[in-house]
Amino acid sequence: MPAWPIWLLSCFGIALAITAWARGYALRRNLLDQPGERRSHASATPRGGGISIVMVLLLASAWLAWRFPGQREWFGLFGAGLVLVAGIGWVDDHRPLSPWLRLLIHGLAAGTLAMGFWLEGTGPWPAMAAFVLALGLTNAWNFMDGIDGLAASQAGLVSLGLWIVLPSPWNWLAIGLAAAAAGFLPFNFPKARIFLGDVGSGALGFALAALLAAGLSKGDPSITWLLWVLPVAAFVVDTAFTLAWRILNGEPWWTPHVQHAYQRWARQIGHRRVTVFFALFTTGTVGIWLIGRGAQPPFVILVFIICYTLAGCLWGSSRRLKD
């Protein structure tokens, strides 16, 4: 294996270069996110920059499959699922598609990932967890990609934690994802010059789901499943609560909107502050996750309840903000 610095610099540099290319491509093709709908910006901004992260993940997966023959099937099926998610997102970035078609493809990708775990001999529960995580986080990251730096920074922070706790070779994929997110962020924060687009946001969620599922089935057995889902609390709560709110109010939940907590807060205090606040919250949950390894179940349950309750309260406070 290459040394960590070489691996990090390679993933970072490739993402940086492809994001620059993607911005030029989007401007030439007039692939612009206009203000409104799911976006909280005042001016049109290019989209599709997340193709850089996708390319890094695919190259990393190919390298790791070659380097670790025992996990070749897993990395192959992970790559296939990633191509499905990123591919439908790339098409959707060029021309709008039916949300039901996207959901169908996301389901196929989740099933492909689950098959990878099944063939690894992990049993039905890890495969089922992989399917649920993939379908849920793919759409959560897609929904939450609406302000400068938010989706990429969250994925980078969670990936850093995964790098520490995952065994080889999955820790190499985790830090590669973090480096790729870092290569994209200079174009997306503090002022977005390009967005991830559906090609990148869904791919980030899918990749994180794969890594979290790998942790559940192959990681440190002292880490209970409640701790594994702690780092994604901010995105899970905002996505789930907002969807539930729209459904209960009889709104078409599958259509674009600006009702997420992060969007409501961004209109009040600005994109940068919201992204930084989310980063601080997730840094805290990742820290608790790392410190809590090997903790007794009562402590883990208490921490889980506190973190998710806090996230829920912050979501509830956003409903009182004036639009």
Side-chain angles (χ1 to χ4, degrees), residues 9-27:
L9 288 174
S10 298
C11 294
F12 176 83
I14 292 170
L16 195 70
I18 297 179
T19 304
W21 169 85
R23 186 173 187 276
Y25 172 84
L27 290 171

Side-chain angles (χ1 to χ4, degrees), residues 267-290:
R267 291 195 290 273
Q268 299 293 320
I269 63 175
H271 295 204
R272 298 178 191 177
R273 291 180 179 177
V274 173
T275 296
V276 169
F277 177 80
F278 267 74
L280 291 173
F281 180 88
T282 297
T283 299
T285 58
V286 170
I288 293 170
W289 172 39
L290 298 177

Side-chain angles (χ1 to χ4, degrees), residues 50-224:
I51 187 65
S52 62
I53 299 175
V54 173
M55 294 306 299
V56 169
L57 289 172
L58 289 175
L59 290 171
S61 298
W63 170 261
L64 292 168
W66 174 80
R67 182 62 181 80
F68 295 91
Q71 280 74 46
R72 189 165 293 166
E73 285 184 331
W74 188 94
F75 280 107
L77 288 168
F78 165 76
L82 185 67
V83 167
L84 285 172
V85 170
I88 195 68
W90 180 255
V91 174
D92 195 45
D93 285 332
H94 286 72
R95 58 182 182 87
L97 298 174
S98 162
W100 307 113
L101 175 61
R102 294 201 308 270
L103 187 61
L104 173 62
I105 299 300
H106 292 168
L108 290 174
T112 301
L113 180 65
M115 181 61 69
F117 282 96
W118 181 271
L119 293 176
E120 285 274 301
T122 57
W125 290 112
M128 186 178 298
F131 180 87
V132 172
L133 283 168
L135 192 60
L137 294 186
T138 294
N139 285 279
W141 248 260
N142 184 263
F143 294 151
M144 297 291 287
D145 177 34
I147 64 172
D148 302 348
L150 182 63
S153 62
Q154 288 289 297
L157 289 169
V158 177
S159 298
L160 284 174
L162 286 163
W163 172 48
I164 296 172
V165 299
L166 284 176
S168 183
W170 292 277
N171 58 347
W172 289 91
L173 186 62
I175 196 60
L177 174 55
F184 170 79
L185 273 171
F187 295 88
N188 189 238
F189 188 81
K191 176 64 176 177
R193 292 183 286 151
I194 190 168
F195 292 135
L196 285 166
D198 288 337
V199 63
S201 57
L204 280 177
F206 181 83
L208 289 174
L211 291 168
L212 287 170
L216 282 167
S217 61
K218 304 172 183 299
D220 188 343
S222 68
I223 306 177
T224 68

